[in-house]
Amino acid sequence: MQSGTIVKVAGPLVIAQGLTGSRMFDLVRVGADGLMGEIIEMRGDRASIQVYEETQGIGPGDPVEPTGAPLSVELGPGMLGTVYDGVQRPLEAIEALAGEFLHRGVDAPGLDREKQWEFVAIAEVGTQVTGGQIIGTVQENEVIEHRIMTEPHVAGELIALTGGTYTVTDTIGQVRAADGTIHDLRMMQTWPVRTPRPRKEKLNATEPLTSGTRVIDTMFPLVKGGAACIPGPFGAGKTVTQHQIAKWANAQVVIFIGCGERGNEITDVLMEFPELDDPYSGQPLMRRTILVANTSNMPVAAREASVYTGITMAEYFRDMGYEVVLQADSTSRWAEAMREISGRLEEMPGDEGYPAYLGTRLAMFYERAGKVIALGGDEGSVSVVGSVSPPGGDLSEPVVQNTLRVVKTFWALQDTLAFQRHFPAIDWLTSYSLYLDKIEEYWDEHISRDFRPRRDRVMQILQRESELDEIARLVGLDALSQEEQALMDCAKMIREDFLQQNAFRDDDQFSSLPKQNKLLEVILTFYDYALIAVEGGVRRPSLAGAPVREKITRAKYQSNDDMAIYDAIVAEIKAELSVVAGSGAGGARCAWEVQ
């Protein structure tokens, strides 16, 4: 494998010749500073390289040194709670080397080589082990037990394994393969980021990934192992929604990728997550979180590396049997990086200048989500939530459309809702989930058999409201029938008392699934009894004055654990809206009017 020489520099793209023996996607070191780059095109011994650092000052004649290996990440104890850049350099370690201001070419290993970990062996010497089998554990922190696995390609007789205190590079055991080859076992693995980690079987996902956000969990749910897309214009709440999912999702490991996002948004995560208690363990949320911080002022090409780095880490924890949720914010910035590199390669452009392979690259990323049986036999999952930032909120642009072809949950954010201070600003008329049928059995078994019918009925009411709203705007609300006015009132309650949620209020930022079901029951019970009252002659102004309305409004602030509170409100609704006196149109009166 021969060294090469730069012949052309065009921003993050470097053309080098003489790289005989190198292959596509090999990692190379560019220039005197040894900048990290990846080969993305080979024509003979001439290679096109995307460089993951600033290329200013590099020119023709500078050397390019091949490494003979693809871009890979280091996987092992010490990852959780760490902040990496797009190519898995720990920012804290880099700061110790270079100070507060980074300079080009600085490098640090992804895992600390000096730290000692207490390894507990669980596999027995003399037994046969397979690739990906768990052979021991390390208690990485108070929240996560790091399960040490054999590498996927290593299988055979376990001839040595010893518990004790080791670094990630120390040999902890040995495996003799069928051909007699001896493989050393370490707590650290390396894996090429563009290659999906193998699994034994992909499963049909049926359990919901709950986030405590009502419009997501009830209206447009995501399963563990599913993929979702959050498109929306600037200021509509994409990042806040993803933060909520990261904080409250019922997953053991969270990986947050800041792919070309503004530095202040990554700073918010860095400031907030260490202070936030994990609702499931009581420990700081960072104990089960990995951050991949690639901000908008970092080199463009590294955005692609950050996405693959994050998904590879997610697959690693999935193989241990954990449920992982990965947040990518935002894939539009990755697509913009692909567009720039493609333009510099002088490739034939597709829609709006994006490369023709945009859809393929997005599919390769999202399709690595899924619930699987790992090689070691444990079940694990990776759920992917990617945000998209279309210019002007245009959902017809290529990144959104190509993403929708591969994801099954679509949370469309609308700036009009955000301007009305309705958060989360997820449009219930545009969004959808294709996982509803998959999780209905789970809802029936663990929540209520009425949950899905209530959810579907709410959607029908909201859709009917949008039709009646056009009429009401033209001729006024009073022109509608009493039944239609009751429906409009119910839709307003659904929007304001169920869909609207305050992410910064302690008693409203999280709603359990049983609570969400009870809230629907409260609202729909009021609607049903309002219709009965209307048929009995009660007019809308009387229904609006029901004392129980205030309790319905405040119901979403009640406990997640005490369902009796909601049952009491339902009973009060039935009592108050009972028609007890009068007859004829406008003559009937409800219970509170008689009192």
Side-chain angles (χ1 to χ4, degrees):
M1 189 172 297
Q2 297 181 1
S3 300
T5 304
I6 295 175
V7 296
K8 179 182 177 181
V9 178
L13 180 68
V14 169
I15 310 296
Q17 65 181 10
L19 288 170
T20 304
S22 294
R23 298 166 297 178
M24 280 284 290
F25 302 123
D26 270 5
L27 191 68
V28 295
R29 296 289 180 174
V30 178
D33 291 332
L35 308 186
M36 188 178 295
E38 187 181 24
I39 296 175
I40 57 174
E41 184 180 77
M42 286 291 298
R43 295 183 180 180
D45 69 342
R46 194 179 180 97
S48 298
I49 303 164
Q50 62 177 359
V51 181
Y52 295 135
E53 299 183 69
E54 176 59 51
T55 58
Q56 186 175 359
I58 295 176
D62 287 349
V64 176
E65 297 294 334
T67 64
L71 177 64
S72 302
V73 291
E74 297 179 352
L75 306 168
M79 296 166 61
L80 293 168
T82 305
V83 183
Y84 293 105
D85 72 353
V87 288
Q88 210 207 7
R89 295 180 297 192
L91 297 185
E92 187 175 350
I94 290 178
E95 182 186 12
L97 292 172
E100 295 181 356
F101 298 96
L102 303 184
H103 58 77
R104 295 186 305 170
V106 64
D107 198 8
L111 297 178
D112 189 339
R113 297 294 195 271
E114 305 298 326
K115 186 168 183 176
Q116 301 277 330
W117 298 95
E118 187 66 32
F119 171 72
V120 178
I122 59 174
E124 296 184 2
V125 175
T127 60
Q128 294 291 316
V129 296
T130 60
Q133 181 173 328
I134 296 172
I135 57 173
T137 62
V138 168
Q139 193 64 44
E140 183 161 349
N141 55 44
E142 299 90 336
V143 181
I144 297 295
E145 177 187 76
H146 199 108
R147 297 159 186 169
I148 306 301
M149 302 173 288
T150 58
E151 295 187 48
H153 65 277
V154 173
E157 182 186 357
L158 185 65
I159 58 175
L161 186 68
T162 307
T165 303
Y166 301 97
T167 66
V168 293
T169 56
D170 289 339
T171 299
I172 59 174
Q174 290 182 323
V175 170
R176 181 189 293 117
D179 61 0
T181 304
I182 303 296
H183 297 279
D184 289 336
L185 301 178
R186 298 178 177 84
M187 289 190 285
M188 182 185 78
Q189 301 181 14
T190 58
W191 191 263
V193 297
R194 292 182 181 269
T195 304
R197 286 178 64 88
R199 80 272 180 172
K200 186 176 293 184
E201 181 183 354
K202 194 163 187 175
L203 301 175
N204 188 26
T206 58
E207 183 180 350
L209 181 81
T210 58
S211 63
T213 302
R214 292 185 289 270
V215 67
I216 291 176
D217 293 349
T218 296
M219 309 307 293
F220 313 108
L222 175 66
V223 295
K224 291 181 178 179
C229 168
I230 312 179
F234 175 79
K238 295 185 297 296
T239 302
V240 173
T241 302
Q242 288 193 300
H243 287 189
Q244 283 297 103
I245 296 171
K247 294 172 190 175
W248 298 103
N250 56 340
Q252 286 96 9
V253 178
V254 176
I255 298 178
F256 193 95
I257 305 171
C259 179
E261 280 303 289
R262 292 171 293 278
N264 64 317
E265 295 184 352
I266 297 297
T267 302
D268 286 343
V269 177
L270 293 175
M271 297 294 289
E272 187 176 357
F273 277 30
E275 301 296 328
L276 185 72
D277 288 338
D278 177 10
Y280 301 102
S281 67
Q283 297 292 326
L285 186 62
M286 278 298 295
R287 299 293 173 86
R288 62 182 182 96
T289 301
I290 301 172
L291 298 181
V292 180
N294 183 260
T295 56
S296 56
N297 62 337
M298 291 183 176
V300 169
R303 296 175 186 177
E304 182 166 38
S306 68
V307 170
Y308 286 115
T309 294
I311 194 69
T312 304
M313 291 176 176
E315 289 176 334
Y316 174 68
F317 283 98
R318 174 206 70 187
D319 291 347
M320 296 183 199
Y322 287 125
E323 290 155 340
V324 186
V325 59
L326 180 141
Q327 313 270 353
D329 186 16
S330 104
T331 55
S332 289
R333 309 287 182 254
W334 171 28
E336 289 167 4
M338 281 192 279
R339 179 167 60 183
E340 178 172 344
I341 296 294
S342 177
R344 295 185 183 278
L345 286 170
E346 300 179 359
E347 296 174 334
M348 182 68 70
D351 290 345
E352 298 187 18
Y354 289 103
Y357 48 79
L358 171 66
T360 302
R361 293 286 179 86
L362 290 171
M364 289 170 62
F365 168 65
Y366 282 103
E367 288 175 357
R368 289 173 72 168
K371 182 177 181 180
V372 306
I373 297 178
L375 293 180
D378 293 294
E379 287 189 12
S381 68
V382 174
S383 308
V384 176
V385 179
S387 73
V388 185
S389 307
D394 179 15
L395 300 184
S396 66
E397 66 95 39
V399 182
V400 175
Q401 291 302 311
N402 280 285
T403 302
L404 292 184
R405 293 189 178 102
V406 291
V407 303
K408 292 187 176 181
T409 297
F410 178 56
W411 299 320
L413 297 174
Q414 289 290 348
D415 52 0
T416 53
L417 289 174
F419 295 153
Q420 295 168 11
R421 296 297 183 264
H422 179 109
F423 293 104
I426 295 175
D427 183 7
W428 48 87
L429 298 177
T430 309
S431 305
Y432 63 82
S433 172
L434 302 181
Y435 295 118
L436 283 166
D437 292 338
K438 291 180 178 293
I439 65 175
E440 184 174 1
E441 184 177 345
Y442 179 93
W443 281 351
D444 290 347
E445 182 178 350
H446 295 90
I447 311 301
S448 169
R449 290 191 175 276
D450 296 324
F451 193 21
R452 174 68 187 275
R454 286 170 181 157
R455 179 262 173 208
D456 291 346
R457 190 179 176 200
V458 162
M459 278 301 302
Q460 293 169 2
I461 291 171
L462 292 172
Q463 289 165 356
R464 179 59 178 159
E465 181 208 23
S466 69
E467 299 168 1
L468 294 175
D469 188 55
E470 295 295 327
I471 300 173
R473 288 175 185 273
L474 290 174
V475 297
L477 185 62
D478 292 338
L480 302 177
S481 69
Q482 290 295 309
E483 290 79 3
E484 290 172 337
Q485 291 183 38
L487 182 141
M488 297 292 281
D489 281 345
C490 176
K492 183 180 179 181
M493 293 169 63
I494 293 169
R495 289 187 282 105
E496 296 180 356
D497 303 334
F498 185 81
L499 299 180
Q500 198 167 351
Q501 194 167 349
N502 190 339
F504 302 101
R505 182 165 172 161
D506 290 342
D507 54 5
D508 192 34
Q509 60 182 337
F510 177 84
S511 289
S512 65
L513 282 179
K515 176 180 175 179
Q516 294 179 39
N517 175 54
K518 286 296 184 179
L519 286 173
L520 290 184
E521 181 184 3
V522 166
I523 294 171
L524 292 176
T525 299
F526 184 91
Y527 178 52
D528 289 336
Y529 276 76
L531 290 177
I532 295 172
V534 166
E535 290 177 1
V538 176
R539 300 190 63 81
R540 176 173 171 264
S542 297
L543 295 173
V548 77
R549 285 289 294 266
E550 183 178 353
K551 291 187 177 181
I552 296 173
T553 299
R554 300 192 60 81
K556 62 183 180 182
Y557 303 126
Q558 301 299 328
S559 171
N560 281 286
D561 302 317
D562 188 0
M563 296 300 107
I565 296 174
Y566 306 100
D567 293 334
I569 298 175
V570 168
E572 192 170 339
I573 291 170
K574 294 177 179 179
E576 286 191 6
L577 267 63
S578 298
V579 179
V580 297
S583 61
R589 291 180 294 169
C590 291
W592 69 91
E593 294 181 295
V594 175
Q595 295 170 0

